[in-house]
Amino acid sequence: MSTVMLAEILEQPEALRRTLRRLEPLGDDLARLGTGRPQVLFAARGSSDNAATYGRYLTEVVAGRAAALVAPSVATAYRSPVRLEHALVVVLSQSGETAELVETLTWARGCGAATVAVTNVGDSSLARHADLVLVTEAGPEHAVPATKTFTTQLAAMAVLAGALAGAPLAGLEQVPGAVSDLLEHRTGVDAAIEGLLARPRTIVTGRGLGHAVAAELALKLEETCLRVVPGLSYADLRHGPIAVVDDQTTAVVVAPRDGPVLDGLTRLVPDLQARGAAVVAIGGDAALAGRADVAVAGPDLPEVLAPIGLVVAGQLVVEGLARRLGLDPDSPRGLRKVTQTELGVRR
């Protein structure tokens, strides 16, 4: 059975190429807007919030600027004035019509911040209110779960971090090709689906730059496969939640091919297995693959860019699992493409 979700996953290499062609020329504008603003704050909801988490890590690791996630309720519910003259505020919304986020961006400007909108719709309300707009080129997305809109948001975060650092991230031009290779070969994807089918409980873990991917894949498993799935940093997992891991659990470990978090993620695998869990590794190196029960190939990309490919590998697993469970990943139960909150549209 072919799904819209799978078709949109397969569109991602070209969506990434279009997005990078559009956004890379804005690097100088982003650098100027961020001049004299040592802090970068991100605001988002849903999948966009996970993209913002990647942006936060990149901003600190690559650009050396303090970064954090804004709580939109500070702006929309409490309406608290906050001094933001020192801040660049980046607001992400795939539709650009999330009323809560449009209001948050307007609040930030009123508090003295410079603002950047990241959206897939160039004439959206969010875009009209921002000082600078990063329009992703995902094209229309029809399946309810965000795939290509999320992945192009990650690309926008990479462009932003490079601009604030003063130089584009090395290897960024290789991202579309690396994603294309993953989609062509699907190495380990079918075995991972079988592993997740075999046990009723799932957890997803990563760390650092990959934490955003762990959170996003957990969200995708929840909305498409109707499982309650925590997505945790492995440091947080060790601080208590690991107690729920047993022989009814499949643990998905998301890892880059290199970098300072890889060793800790690799050492986590036998601890999970000792508690009875089956381990599916997405990405990592040969050592991680050798310890895991199932290994899904990750992208041939450096750690700072790996999340853009890792999430695509995970999307393939999620889409296939939903179909094997007899579910429709295009239209998950009780969900719509946009979600209403008391303050408006959430996406």
Side-chain angles (χ1 to χ4, degrees):
M1 173 180 122
S2 179
T3 66
V4 175
M5 182 180 178
L6 179 58
E8 291 175 344
I9 291 170
L10 296 176
E11 291 173 15
Q12 290 179 113
E14 187 54 37
L16 286 163
R17 289 188 185 96
R18 291 193 304 265
T19 297
L20 292 173
R21 281 197 300 265
R22 178 159 188 168
L23 299 188
E24 287 181 310
L26 298 177
D28 289 344
D29 294 333
L30 283 165
R32 282 192 292 270
L33 193 63
T35 299
R37 297 179 183 271
Q39 185 175 37
V40 183
L41 303 175
F42 295 87
R45 290 292 191 192
S47 286
S48 297
D49 204 26
N50 296 328
T53 296
Y54 174 58
R56 190 196 94 198
Y57 274 98
L58 272 181
T59 300
E60 294 192 324
V61 171
V62 172
R65 302 198 190 193
L69 302 180
V70 171
S73 59
V74 173
T76 61
Y78 296 100
R79 303 185 186 279
S80 299
V82 177
R83 293 193 61 180
L84 296 177
E85 300 93 338
H86 62 289
L88 178 67
V89 174
V90 182
V91 182
L92 297 85
S93 169
Q94 291 149 11
S95 69
E97 296 299 340
T98 306
E100 180 185 26
L101 295 174
V102 174
E103 186 175 344
T104 299
L105 186 144
T106 304
W107 164 84
R109 289 190 70 181
C111 292
T115 58
V116 175
V118 180
T119 178
N120 198 46
V121 184
D123 62 352
S124 61
S125 299
L126 189 71
R128 290 194 296 271
H129 285 81
D131 294 312
L132 184 63
V133 185
L134 302 184
V135 181
T136 56
E137 291 283 352
E141 188 174 62
H142 300 290
V144 170
T147 53
K148 59 181 181 173
T149 53
F150 176 79
T151 309
T152 52
Q153 282 182 332
L154 298 186
M157 296 297 94
V159 171
L160 171 69
L164 296 178
L169 299 189
L172 189 56
E173 73 285 351
Q174 300 171 13
V175 167
V179 170
S180 182
D181 288 344
L182 289 176
L183 293 171
E184 179 182 357
H185 297 293
R186 291 176 56 98
T187 304
V189 168
D190 293 334
I193 293 168
E194 295 300 324
L196 288 163
L197 274 172
R199 301 185 181 210
R201 289 198 292 274
T202 307
I203 62 168
V204 189
T205 188
R207 194 171 186 185
L209 290 154
H211 182 206
V213 177
E216 175 64 10
L217 294 181
L219 172 60
K220 287 291 168 287
L221 285 163
E222 289 186 329
E223 64 184 352
T224 64
C225 300
L226 307 184
R227 294 184 174 187
V228 177
V229 180
L232 301 168
S233 162
Y234 83 70
D236 290 326
L237 178 63
R238 287 192 180 279
H239 278 80
I242 199 169
V244 305
V245 173
D246 58 18
D247 61 4
Q248 297 299 300
T249 305
T250 301
V252 179
V253 177
V254 180
R257 69 180 189 187
D258 55 19
V261 303
L262 176 58
D263 182 62
L265 287 164
T266 302
R267 286 187 283 109
L268 176 66
V269 172
D271 292 348
L272 294 168
Q273 292 167 328
R275 294 171 179 268
V279 175
V280 172
I282 298 180
D285 62 0
L288 178 61
R291 291 192 178 188
D293 297 284
V294 175
V296 178
D300 186 16
L301 293 169
E303 183 189 15
V304 293
L305 297 173
I308 305 175
L310 289 169
V311 77
V312 174
Q315 289 167 354
L316 288 172
V317 174
V318 171
E319 188 274 342
L321 178 63
R323 286 188 289 106
R324 290 293 306 278
L325 290 169
L327 300 169
D328 179 4
D330 297 337
S331 301
R333 184 179 71 192
L335 297 180
R336 298 180 179 180
K337 189 61 181 171
V338 292
T339 302
Q340 298 294 334
T341 70
E342 72 277 8
L343 292 170
V345 180
R346 174 180 166 182
R347 191 58 209 253

